[in-house]
Each structure stands twice: as C-alpha cells, then as structure tokens.
Amino acid sequence: MSKKDSEAVSAVLSYLRDQNRPYSAGDVFSNLHKKYGKTAVTRCMEQLAADGKIKEKTYGKQKVYVINQGEFEEVDDEELKRLDGMVTELGKELQQLQSECKMQENELKTLATVLTTQEANSRLKQFTNECESMNSRLEGIKSKSKNITPEEKEKICKEHTATVKEWRKRKRMVMDVVNSIMEGYPKSKKQLFVSLVFDVHFCVPPRHDLVIQGHCQCVCMLFCQSVCLFVCLSNTYIL
C-alpha cells in the first residue's frame, strides 16, 4: 500500500470513528472535501470492512459503512446518564451563546448605520453654519419687509378665495366652448388648440375681462394667484 493510500485509510477510519454514524462511500468522499479520489475512498472503505474495522451493509445497489462498535469501550448506564446530562447542559449553553451572538449581530448592524463621532461633529458644524446663515437672512428679511396685520391677512385670503372661484368658473366656460367646437371638428383637440392659437402663460398679470366678438376673436383670461391660463380663439364663429 502506498503512502497516499495509507493516509486515505487513516483519514476514512478517523472520520467514521469520530462521526459514529453510517455513511456511503460517496458521502465520505464529499465530507472529506474531495481530498482523496472517490475510487480511492471506496477502495479504502472496502479494505477496512474486510479487516473488520468497519461494518458494511448493502441496501439495493448502495453500500453503507459504519464504524465497528467494538472499537469503543463499553459504557454502563450511569455513564450514559452522565453523558446525557452533559449533552443537555451543553445544549442549553449553546442556545444561550446563539442568543447572545444574535444580539451582538443586531447591535453591530445598528452601530454600522450610526455616524461616527467625527462624522457627527462634521454634520453638527455644517448644520450650525446653515442655521446661522438662515437666521442672518431671516433678520435681513424682517428688517426690510413690512408686517401685515391680521385684518389685512384675512382680506387677502378672502380675495384669493374669490379669485380662485372666478378662475374655476371661467376655466369651465372656456372648456365648454372647446368641447362644443370638438363636436363638429374633424381633427384632434391638440390640433384644434394649435389652429385656434391656444396658449398657456405663467406669471401673466391677471385680467377679469371676457371679450367675445362675432367675427374676429374670443379672449378669456383664467388666473389663480400667480398662474394664469390664456386661451385665444381667433377667427372663429361662435353660434
């Protein structure tokens, strides 16, 4: 037997003794991380079975091997009870360690998302400078602006509400006109807007007039605060 085969036999026998459970040759080959060839592992297990160091049993086409129990010393009932108690205690200790490990992992994840002291100081300095800049700007605005009274504010709000109401009313009127035209218009609404010079303007001074002329043009201003919608229907008869 070569030195490599001897090492394989020792490794297989040691593994079966340590695990003390049945394995096939393929299982042992995989569990030894394919350190030895599958043919060599199979040959070693057959040799060990022939020498009586392991037991062989055939299930259909597969052979299963287990360490010969005669390799171990006999253990009385008291020793088995002691070993069972050790297993129980070790199991409890394992659960406790796993719980502590999980807690440590969660704490590590939390700490990984927290800023370091250096980063926190840098952020604090940045926000402090921004606050100082904004406060300085606010003081400048307060010193230059004229404060309004609650009565003036209420008046502005009422005017804004009335303006919005009028804007919605005029918008509905214009869309009614557009929809009426679309009933007999052969093209799309977009093309109608282009042909009637439909345009939208932002920040246009608001106007409250609606001018309708029979054979020249119709102008309607729709506005809401600083945004106004201007619709021009030119060279169109409105019956």
Side-chain angles (χ1 to χ4, degrees):
M1 181 181 296
S2 66
K3 182 179 179 180
K4 189 173 182 180
D5 290 341
S6 180
E7 290 179 357
V9 170
S10 299
V12 170
L13 182 61
S14 177
Y15 178 78
L16 291 175
R17 183 183 293 111
D18 292 341
Q19 300 300 318
N20 193 22
R21 56 180 296 181
Y23 287 104
S24 66
D27 294 335
V28 175
F29 166 71
S30 299
N31 295 342
L32 290 177
H33 307 292
K34 302 180 181 180
K35 183 177 180 180
Y36 307 100
K38 187 173 183 180
T39 303
V41 171
T42 303
R43 186 169 59 249
C44 291
M45 297 182 78
E46 291 176 349
Q47 181 62 42
L48 289 170
D51 294 342
K53 294 182 179 181
I54 62 175
K55 297 290 185 180
E56 175 185 293
K57 192 166 185 180
T58 303
Y59 293 93
K61 295 182 179 180
Q62 187 177 32
K63 293 182 179 180
V64 177
Y65 301 88
V66 66
I67 190 71
N68 190 340
Q69 299 303 302
E71 295 280 332
F72 302 102
E73 297 180 359
E74 292 186 4
V75 181
D76 56 17
D77 293 340
E78 293 297 329
E79 182 66 14
L80 288 175
K81 290 180 181 180
R82 187 183 71 82
L83 292 174
D84 288 340
M86 288 179 60
V87 170
T88 302
E89 291 298 326
L90 290 174
K92 292 180 180 179
E93 184 178 354
L94 175 62
Q95 290 180 353
Q96 182 179 357
L97 290 174
Q98 287 176 338
S99 178
E100 293 178 359
C101 181
K102 188 174 182 180
M103 291 175 60
Q104 295 292 336
E105 288 177 349
N106 293 334
E107 184 177 356
L108 179 61
K109 290 180 181 179
T110 302
L111 292 175
T113 59
V114 176
L115 296 176
T116 63
T117 303
Q118 183 178 0
E119 292 173 340
N121 289 332
S122 177
R123 288 284 188 89
L124 178 61
K125 184 177 180 180
Q126 176 187 350
F127 293 147
T128 301
N129 293 335
E130 289 180 1
C131 287
E132 291 177 355
S133 176
M134 290 180 180
N135 286 331
S136 177
R137 182 182 177 188
L138 179 60
E139 291 298 328
I141 293 174
K142 286 182 178 180
S143 63
K144 295 179 181 179
S145 62
K146 180 181 178 181
N147 296 331
I148 63 174
T149 64
E151 292 77 11
E152 291 175 329
K153 179 181 178 181
E154 183 179 359
K155 180 181 178 182
I156 293 173
C157 290
K158 288 181 179 180
E159 291 177 353
H160 174 264
T161 302
T163 301
V164 171
K165 183 178 180 180
E166 183 66 19
W167 172 77
R168 290 174 177 168
K169 177 182 177 181
R170 296 191 179 193
K171 178 182 177 181
R172 183 169 58 253
M173 292 169 59
V174 171
M175 293 311 300
D176 288 343
V177 172
V178 171
N179 291 332
S180 297
I181 295 174
M182 284 302 301
E183 291 180 1
Y185 193 70
K187 299 181 181 180
S188 66
K189 183 179 290 187
K190 182 177 179 180
Q191 291 172 323
L192 172 64
F193 290 161
V194 173
S195 64
L196 298 182
V197 196
F198 183 95
D199 198 3
V200 178
H201 297 278
F202 295 94
C203 300
V204 176
R207 291 176 56 191
H208 297 269
D209 57 314
L210 174 63
V211 181
I212 302 178
Q213 298 179 359
H215 191 67
C216 54
Q217 66 179 14
C218 169
V219 179
C220 180
M221 280 290 186
L222 308 177
F223 59 91
C224 178
Q225 204 170 11
S226 63
V227 180
C228 301
L229 174 66
F230 173 70
V231 179
C232 177
L233 305 177
S234 61
N235 299 322
T236 303
Y237 287 98
I238 302 179
L239 301 177

